Amino acid sequence: MITINENYLKLQASYLFSDIAKRVASFQENNPDKDVIKLGIGDVTKGLTPASIKAFHEAVDEMAEDTTFRGYGPEQGYDFLREAIAVNDFQSRGAQIAADEIFVSDGAKCDSGNIQEIFSQDIKIAIPDPVYPVYLDTNVMAGRTGLFEEGRYEGLVYLNSTKDNNFVPALPSEKVDLIYLCFPNNPTGSTISKEELKTWVDYAKKNKALILFDAAYEAFIQDESLPKSIFEIEGAREVAIEFRSFSKSAGFTGTRCAYTVVPKECVAYDKDGNTHSLHALWNRRHCTKFNGVSYPVQKAAAAIYTAEGKAQTKALIDYYMKNADAVCKTMDELGYSYVGGKNSPYIWVDGKIDSWEFFDMLLNKAGVVCTPGAGFGKCGNGYIRISAFNSHEKVAEAMERLKAALR
Ligand code: MLT
């Protein structure tokens, strides 16, 4: 008899963004004339940059000729991309990351979900609340939690991110082994200073713990004093793994390209206390389960590091940040308090009522889709997340509708 992984039965009925998509589809079916504006899932709307598109086309042409055709590439990514990443994203900011510490992949969602496979079952995990649901769900699937009771899984240490701590959680009061952090934060849009991040690195070193640092939104940082990478913090090479993505920074949500940085010093322990290289373990996992991102996509990603590519991706970020500004201004005008929107494409608004009620009200009264904060955890209840990913025109229209609905 074929039996199931019963851990899946502990999961909430469906993945947050699938749930929202279903509700929106049903609303559209019942209101075919309503023009719905989507500021929910963080999906980009602008085309790829001309630099990426040119490189993409050229690489496709190379694939058409026997002499320049490429078959399987290196699982970890082509050197031309890994080197461009190491130099531009890390070394230029004083973070000593080498090209061979970078693993190119098809998404930070997949990497941040898959990484838990290389750790043991009985580790103590600290997870922020609210949180990007992938970190949580993948550990539930793997059997590292108990049941879902009163809005939380048993067996996890939740790190509350609330107004009281400016949405930057405090260090856990009990000893943990694995810590998930995401800054600029999804969903709250909050940021962390170098000094605050250093306390986490020190904690990890002291407790032989590991930090999984999701920096998928670093490109939106406007304040130069903020860290873009955990590897800008002294000592982080021994205790952190970082996830990055081209999805939001260069419009690759549909094209798929991301990377994970695993420094060579980073270790974990076996039951006898012997150290093992996480770089070697992740490499083993990556080579076994992944066959590399396609050559044209890696060429398109590498093009963002050229002079034109850099200018064009900056323009993309500036475009979305102008939307974030428009959302912040509207919230100021309406008297709603919020965080984010300054160094992040997300604005986390205190809606003062149940999140799903607020979501339904906005959809029904304004035809605007947001993401209910409760979908990201217990501490998210009462909040909604508004995304800056849409055209200027649609965001302006959505803000007018919000003003009419919320005044
Ligand atoms: C989000 O809206 O939180 C993100 O787009 C989801 C993702 O990147 O997978």
Side-chain angles (χ1 to χ4, degrees):
M1 179 174 73
I2 176 71
T3 52
I4 58 159
N5 172 355
E6 291 199 16
N7 293 310
Y8 276 63
L9 303 179
K10 299 175 194 162
L11 292 166
Q12 300 308 287
S14 71
Y15 182 61
L16 173 63
F17 293 105
S18 320
D19 197 10
I20 293 169
K22 257 188 247 149
R23 286 185 189 225
V24 174
S26 131
F27 174 82
Q28 292 243 256
E29 216 175 289
N30 297 328
N31 302 274
D33 303 331
K34 279 239 169 97
D35 165 34
V36 170
I37 302 178
K38 293 183 181 162
L39 304 178
I41 190 166
D43 194 3
V44 294
T45 55
K46 286 191 78 62
L48 296 178
T49 63
S52 284
I53 284 296
K54 182 168 174 282
F56 216 155
H57 278 297
E58 285 169 3
V60 169
D61 287 341
E62 283 183 61
M63 296 298 271
E65 301 295 330
D66 293 351
T67 50
T68 48
F69 170 79
R70 314 257 174 155
Y72 292 127
E75 292 94 341
Q76 302 85 350
Y78 285 101
D79 286 345
F80 64 78
L81 179 56
R82 298 172 91 196
E83 269 153 25
I85 291 169
V87 170
N88 291 283
D89 288 350
F90 297 97
Q91 293 163 16
S92 71
R93 296 185 61 86
Q96 292 317 311
I97 294 297
D100 65 356
E101 294 176 316
I102 289 159
F103 294 83
V104 176
S105 77
D106 62 349
K109 177 181 184 176
C110 322
D111 287 352
S112 62
N114 290 330
I115 194 87
Q116 46 76 29
E117 279 184 29
I118 63 173
F119 307 116
S120 76
Q121 283 301 109
D122 56 358
I123 48 169
K124 195 65 149 172
I125 303 175
I127 273 193
D129 178 352
V131 74
Y132 178 47
V134 170
Y135 318 149
L136 190 60
D137 285 2
T138 52
N139 278 293
V140 176
M141 290 167 174
R144 290 196 188 86
T145 72
L147 294 176
F148 190 71
E149 304 277 6
E150 292 172 24
R152 288 192 160 175
Y153 286 98
E154 290 167 343
L156 294 176
V157 173
Y158 283 90
L159 304 169
N160 292 348
S161 307
T162 63
K163 216 181 249 178
D164 294 339
N165 55 27
N166 217 10
F167 302 94
V168 178
L171 296 174
S173 47
E174 62 187 287
K175 194 174 170 326
V176 299
D177 309 304
L178 185 67
I179 301 156
Y180 287 83
L181 291 179
C182 171
F183 289 102
N185 187 257
N186 180 16
T188 69
S190 63
T191 53
I192 193 164
S193 69
K194 284 188 180 157
E195 296 70 32
E196 286 167 323
L197 195 48
K198 175 85 168 67
T199 65
W200 286 95
V201 169
D202 292 345
Y203 174 94
K205 287 179 87 163
K206 190 167 157 226
N207 293 284
K208 294 187 172 173
L210 182 80
I211 300 171
L212 297 177
F213 191 74
D214 185 347
Y217 296 92
E218 56 73 32
F220 296 86
I221 290 178
Q222 312 287 308
D223 177 348
E224 268 302 311
S225 72
L226 297 172
K228 285 184 165 237
S229 164
I230 195 166
F231 301 117
E232 289 172 36
I233 309 300
E234 199 199 324
R237 283 183 57 86
E238 293 145 52
V239 292
I241 287 176
E242 181 165 307
F243 305 102
R244 291 273 188 112
S245 171
F246 295 102
S247 285
K248 321 290 158 104
S249 60
F252 274 58
T253 53
T255 310
R256 311 307 305 151
C257 198
Y259 65 87
T260 290
V261 186
V262 191
K264 299 253 177 71
E265 285 94 317
C266 214
V267 293
Y269 304 82
D270 63 24
K271 58 182 178 347
D272 300 320
N274 303 311
T275 56
H276 295 269
S277 157
L278 289 178
H279 183 277
L281 282 186
W282 184 244
N283 189 50
R284 185 69 177 82
R285 192 258 171 220
H286 201 70
C287 294
T288 306
K289 294 197 174 182
F290 188 66
N291 243 346
V293 173
S294 78
Y295 174 69
V297 168
Q298 291 195 56
K299 276 290 192 185
I304 73 164
Y305 296 108
T306 59
E308 323 78 85
K310 282 181 189 169
Q312 291 161 5
T313 45
K314 181 177 181 309
L316 268 187
I317 300 293
D318 290 349
Y319 184 92
Y320 294 123
M321 287 312 284
K322 215 166 152 190
N323 286 342
D325 201 41
V327 175
C328 291
K329 285 203 171 97
T330 305
M331 293 304 133
D332 286 335
E333 218 178 302
L334 290 170
Y336 280 88
S337 69
Y338 60 88
V339 63
K342 309 290 181 215
N343 295 287
S344 151
Y346 296 132
I347 299 96
W348 185 245
V349 180
D350 184 353
K352 301 184 198 105
I353 56 168
D354 175 84
S355 296
W356 283 103
E357 212 179 293
F358 202 106
F359 169 90
D360 284 333
M361 190 259 292
L362 275 194
L363 184 59
N364 289 304
K365 281 176 77 177
V368 173
V369 180
C370 65
T371 309
F376 297 102
K378 210 171 173 177
C379 292
N381 200 13
Y383 288 85
I384 55 153
R385 190 193 75 176
I386 300 181
S387 140
F389 295 116
N390 214 317
S391 67
H392 287 333
E393 296 71 26
K394 293 249 186 202
V395 170
E397 166 71 19
M399 292 306 107
E400 286 314 308
R401 292 195 206 168
L402 244 70
K403 284 181 204 168
L406 297 176
R407 266 217 176 97

